[in-house]
């Protein structure tokens, strides 16, 4: 048994010594540090920000005004149009768990309304959604803000909020 162990140690030492003599003095491709490359981003999805994104040619509504298109990692092509006094139409696409997206409308101080909307398809696919929202300002000089988000199944917190000012 001792002879076998000694033989294996000798073979291991010889292999270790011989492999170092044949290697070149310059680093090999595996030893060189990797070159930083810019990650590829899909062209069909919006950038991963919570800031509004606008297309090259924004659509126009009936009054001739341009609509702003909003998006982030889980929402895209979201538009908000005022259809009547205190009534807004929200359209877009969402990639959310069980196709449920939540919203809150606030005026900077108070939450005026909240609810949820069902998209046509759940994540990882993009489902379409449309919702008519009726909300009245508590103060006449306030600005209403719509916040779209997904509720975390882990702890119930808001995930990936998309903040949209409602048109006057």
């Amino acid at each position: 048994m001792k002879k076998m162990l000694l033989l294996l140690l000798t073979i291991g030492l010889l292999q270790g010594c011989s492999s170092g003599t044949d290697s070149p003095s310059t680093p090999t491709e595996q030893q060189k540090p990797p070159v930083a490359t810019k990650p590829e981003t899909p062209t069909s999805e919006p950038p991963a920000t919570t800031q509004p994104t606008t297309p090259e040619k924004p659509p126009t509504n009936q009054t001739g005004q341009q609509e702003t298109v909003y998006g982030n990692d889980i929402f895209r092509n979201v538009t908000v149009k005022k259809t009547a006094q205190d009534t807004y139409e929200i359209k877009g696409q969402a990639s959310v768990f069980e196709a449920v997206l939540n919203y809150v409308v606030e005026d900077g101080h108070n939450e005026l309304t909240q609810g949820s909307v069902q998209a046509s398809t759940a994540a990882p696919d993009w489902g379409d959604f449309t919702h008519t929202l009726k909300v009245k300002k508590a103060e006449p000089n306030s600005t209403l803000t719509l916040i779209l988000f997904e509720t975390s199944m882990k702890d119930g917190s808001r995930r990936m909020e998309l903040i949209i000012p409602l048109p006057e």
Side-chain angles (χ1 to χ4, degrees), residues 19-150:
S19 67
T21 58
D22 294 327
S23 66
S25 60
T26 60
T28 61
E29 289 298 319
Q30 293 178 349
Q31 295 170 337
K32 290 181 182 177
V35 177
T37 59
K38 184 177 180 182
E40 293 184 22
T41 56
T43 57
S44 63
E45 296 184 17
T49 63
T50 56
Q51 298 299 319
T53 58
T54 55
E56 291 179 16
K57 294 180 181 177
T60 57
N61 57 20
Q62 286 109 2
T63 60
Q65 298 174 345
Q66 292 183 350
E67 291 180 348
T68 304
V69 180
Y70 299 89
N72 63 13
D73 283 346
I74 63 171
F75 298 107
R76 69 179 183 189
N77 302 327
V78 178
T79 59
V80 179
K81 181 171 54 172
K82 187 170 186 174
T83 57
Q85 177 89 16
D86 304 326
T87 306
Y88 303 90
E89 183 180 57
I90 305 158
K91 290 183 181 181
Q93 294 179 318
S95 178
V96 291
F97 181 71
E98 293 187 352
V100 176
L101 59 118
N102 298 291
Y103 68 87
V104 171
V105 177
E106 60 181 38
D107 64 0
H109 301 286
N110 304 309
E111 289 185 359
L112 303 176
T113 188
Q114 61 184 6
S116 62
V117 179
Q118 188 77 31
S120 62
T121 306
D125 296 327
W126 290 95
D128 296 325
F129 68 90
T130 301
H131 183 67
T132 302
L133 179 65
K134 292 185 181 192
V135 61
K136 187 172 175 126
K137 290 183 178 183
E139 299 293 325
N141 292 333
S142 62
T143 301
L144 299 181
T145 303
L146 170 69
I147 303 171
L148 296 176
F149 60 94
E150 177 183 44

